[in-house]
């Protein structure tokens, strides 16, 4: 008789954004006359910029001609894109990262979820609390998190680093010794960031105890503060202790196109074993390469024209962030984030729980956000709004919230 992976049975409910999606659909069905504004999942609303559309059209034409047709892509990604990434995202910022340390994939979510496979079963993970749910869920599926305490919302074998208003949403070095440390900067969900100095403390700590920092930099395009590094590899010592995840979803609107990459430096080793080789082995075995069309489209992200167009798109979303931040502040809420990230993190109304506030806001304003407790127990009493809506719906959402 076959058996299932019991670890899945320990997981709480469904994936956070699936739960929200179901709740909102049920509400919409019961209230067909209501115009719902969705500022929950961080999904982009602006179309692909013209430079990307043009590059993708050209790639489609190439695929339609025998002499320029492409079959399977190289599993690590086309050299033309990896060279461009290495040069423009890393070397231009003084990071010594080469093209063969870059692994192109179908997105940062998959890589963040899959990376744990190449580490030993007994590795202990440390996460910020609140945190993007994929890090903990994927380790729980692999049986690395111990038992889930449904009352407290905590896994027995995970080291939680609370990030609350009291500590400026900056994780403190843990008392216990982790092997894998997940950091997301700029942060999802709190919208806050770590400075160079703060990140250096983490790099030194990881090198000292022999841990790996799994650094999710999906929102780096939104950094406005010069003190916040765009890559962990800007920090001295990171090549021996860090892996970085990047996404084209938020900087180029690829949530529905799918593309990302992971940087695994060759200096990151466990004894004599280079982690790079293991990730290459996994990638080669389980992934058949991101589509040629999409990798060609991504080249436009780095062209002068593409860069200028995307800068405007990021500014559009960050203007929404400002509208939300100021709108909530003047409605009397405590508000955080929204300066180096497209997420605004707020305290709920009059001490409501995160889910009470979710229901209240949906009922009273027909606005959808994300309950903070869905990201971890320290998110209780908080709520997240995304700046990825349209300008018009963002303004309307703030008017509705101010009116309740
Ligand atoms: C979010 O809303 O946290 C993100 O959109 C989820 C993701 O990028 O997978």
């Amino acid at each position: 008789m076959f058996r299932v992976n019991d670890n899945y049975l320990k997981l709480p409910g469904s994936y956070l954004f699936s739960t929200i999606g179901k709740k909102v659909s049920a509400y919409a069905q019961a209230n067909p006359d209501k115009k719902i504004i969705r500022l929950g999942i961080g999904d982009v609303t602006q179309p692909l910029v013209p430079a990307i559309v043009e590059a993708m059209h050209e790639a489609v034409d190439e695929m339609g001609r025998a002499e320029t047709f492409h079959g399977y892509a190289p599993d690590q990604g086309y050299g033309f894109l990896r060279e461009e990434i290495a040069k423009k995202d890393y070397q231009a910022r003084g990071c010594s990262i080469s093209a063969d340390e870059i692994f192109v994939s179908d997105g940062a979510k998959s890589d963040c979820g899959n990376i744990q496979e190449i580490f030993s079963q007994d590795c202990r993970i440390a996460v910020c609390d609140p945190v993007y749910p994929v890090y903990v869920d994927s380790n729980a599926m692999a049986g690395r998190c111990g038992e889930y305490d449904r009352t407290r919302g905590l896994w027995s074998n995970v080291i939680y680093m609370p990030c609350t208003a009291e500590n400026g949403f900056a994780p403190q070095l843990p008392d216990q010794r982790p092997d894998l440390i997940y950091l997301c900067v700029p942060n999802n969900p709190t919208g806050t960031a770590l400075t160079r100095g703060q990140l250096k403390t983490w790099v030194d700590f990881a090198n000292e105890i022999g841990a790996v920092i799994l650094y999710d930099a999906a929102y780096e395009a939104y950094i406005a503060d010069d003190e916040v590094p765009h890559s962990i590899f800007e920090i001295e010592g990171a090549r021996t202790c860090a892996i970085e995840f990047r996404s084209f979803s938020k900087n180029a609107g690829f949530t529905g196109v799918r593309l990302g990459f992971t940087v695994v430096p060759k200096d990151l080793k466990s004894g004599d074993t280079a982690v790079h080789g293991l990730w290459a082995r996994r990638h080669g075995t389980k992934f058949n390469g991101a589509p040629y069309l999409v990798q060609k489209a991504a080249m436009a992200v780095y062209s002068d024209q593409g860069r200028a167009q995307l800068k405007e798109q990021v500014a559009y979303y960050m203007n929404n962030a400002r509208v939300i931040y100021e709108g909530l502040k003047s409605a009397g809420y405590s508000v955080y984030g929204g300066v180096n990230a497209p997420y605004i993190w707020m305290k709920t109304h009059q001490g409501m729980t995160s889910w009470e506030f979710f229901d209240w806001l949906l009922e009273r304003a027909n606005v959808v956000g994300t309950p903070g407790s869905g990201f971890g127990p320290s998110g209780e009493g908080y709520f997240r709004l995304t700046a990825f809506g349209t300008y018009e719906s963002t303004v309307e959402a703030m008017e509705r919230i101010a009116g309740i």
Side-chain angles (χ1 to χ4, degrees):
M1 179 67 177
F2 76 89
R3 291 188 52 214
V4 296
N5 176 351
D6 285 345
N7 297 312
Y8 276 68
L9 307 180
K10 298 179 187 171
L11 291 165
S14 56
Y15 181 59
L16 173 62
F17 294 105
S18 316
T19 308
I20 293 171
K22 280 183 208 140
K23 262 183 162 277
V24 176
S25 300
Y27 182 83
Q29 242 175 7
N31 300 276
D33 53 317
K34 305 276 196 226
K35 188 181 153 220
I36 297 171
I37 299 179
R38 290 174 166 80
L39 301 180
I41 190 163
D43 196 2
V44 295
T45 51
Q46 296 306 292
L48 298 175
V49 298
I52 291 175
V53 173
E54 199 179 311
M56 208 181 256
H57 278 159
E58 279 170 19
V60 170
D61 290 341
E62 283 182 63
M63 292 294 278
R65 287 192 297 267
E67 59 280 12
T68 47
F69 171 76
H70 287 78
Y72 289 128
D75 49 57
Q76 206 176 323
Y78 282 103
F80 58 76
L81 180 58
R82 288 187 289 118
E83 291 290 348
E84 199 73 346
I85 292 170
K87 206 161 47 177
K88 300 204 170 144
D89 280 333
Y90 292 98
Q91 291 155 15
R93 289 193 183 278
C95 311
S96 119
I97 293 295
S98 59
D100 63 355
E101 293 176 311
I102 290 161
F103 295 79
V104 176
S105 72
D106 65 347
K109 181 179 181 181
S110 331
D111 287 355
C112 286
N114 292 329
I115 197 77
Q116 45 76 29
E117 276 185 36
I118 62 169
F119 296 102
S120 166
Q121 185 69 21
D122 58 6
C123 281
R124 187 113 194 262
I125 70 162
V127 292
C128 293
D129 171 24
V131 74
Y132 180 46
V134 171
Y135 315 145
V136 174
D137 283 7
S138 56
N139 278 284
M141 289 167 177
R144 214 176 266 116
C145 293
E147 299 304 319
Y148 186 65
D149 178 339
R150 282 171 203 272
T151 318
R152 295 165 66 217
L154 296 170
W155 289 90
S156 60
N157 199 34
V158 171
I159 300 169
Y160 291 93
M161 305 178 291
C163 297
T164 58
E166 289 68 40
N167 62 14
F169 303 99
Q172 310 298 300
L173 296 183
D175 301 336
Q176 303 167 68
R177 216 180 153 110
D179 302 296
L180 306 175
I181 303 165
Y182 286 86
L183 292 180
C184 176
V185 184
N187 191 259
N188 177 14
T190 66
T192 52
L194 297 178
T195 61
R196 256 184 200 85
Q198 287 172 310
L199 202 49
K200 175 79 172 114
T201 308
W202 281 98
V203 167
D204 290 346
F205 174 68
N207 276 322
E208 191 187 307
I209 65 167
V212 179
I213 298 176
L214 299 166
Y215 193 76
D216 184 351
Y219 299 94
E220 72 76 33
Y222 293 84
I223 294 171
D225 185 341
D226 286 344
E227 277 309 300
V228 176
H230 287 249
S231 163
I232 194 165
F233 298 113
E234 289 178 44
I235 310 297
E236 200 192 329
R239 280 188 59 86
T240 50
C241 70
I243 289 176
E244 179 164 295
F245 307 97
R246 289 280 189 103
S247 168
F248 288 91
S249 288
K250 317 291 161 122
N251 67 338
F254 276 30
T255 55
V257 176
R258 307 307 309 150
L259 199 70
F261 61 89
T262 291
V263 183
V264 187
K266 291 187 174 165
D267 299 345
L268 177 62
K269 292 185 177 160
S270 167
D272 289 338
T273 308
V275 171
H276 182 278
L278 301 190
W279 187 241
R281 184 70 172 86
R282 190 225 170 256
H283 218 57
T285 304
K286 297 196 176 183
F287 186 62
N288 246 344
Y292 177 74
L293 302 177
V294 177
Q295 296 195 52
K296 273 303 247 198
M299 286 297 281
V301 171
Y302 298 95
S303 70
D304 290 346
Q305 204 192 12
R307 282 188 152 185
Q309 292 167 357
L310 289 171
K311 201 169 158 200
E312 267 181 48
Q313 196 168 76
V314 166
Y316 174 94
Y317 291 131
M318 287 313 278
N319 186 45
N320 289 348
R322 186 189 54 76
V323 168
I324 298 174
Y325 189 96
E326 289 172 4
L328 293 174
K329 265 250 160 278
S330 57
Y333 288 95
S334 301
V335 199
Y336 312 93
V339 175
N340 291 301
Y343 292 124
I344 286 82
W345 189 240
M346 64 189 287
K347 284 259 197 201
T348 58
H349 182 65
Q350 292 186 345
M352 288 180 185
T353 67
S354 303
W355 279 106
E356 280 167 359
F357 187 68
F358 174 90
D359 290 332
W360 186 76
L361 207 61
L362 184 56
E363 275 291 333
R364 301 280 293 268
N366 306 144
V367 171
V368 179
T370 309
S373 56
F375 296 100
S378 297
E380 183 57 278
Y382 289 91
F383 199 73
R384 192 193 78 177
L385 291 175
T386 160
F388 286 123
T390 63
Y391 173 71
E392 294 73 19
S393 64
T394 302
V395 169
E396 192 179 335
M398 288 310 109
E399 284 166 0
R400 290 190 199 172
I401 291 174
I404 50 176

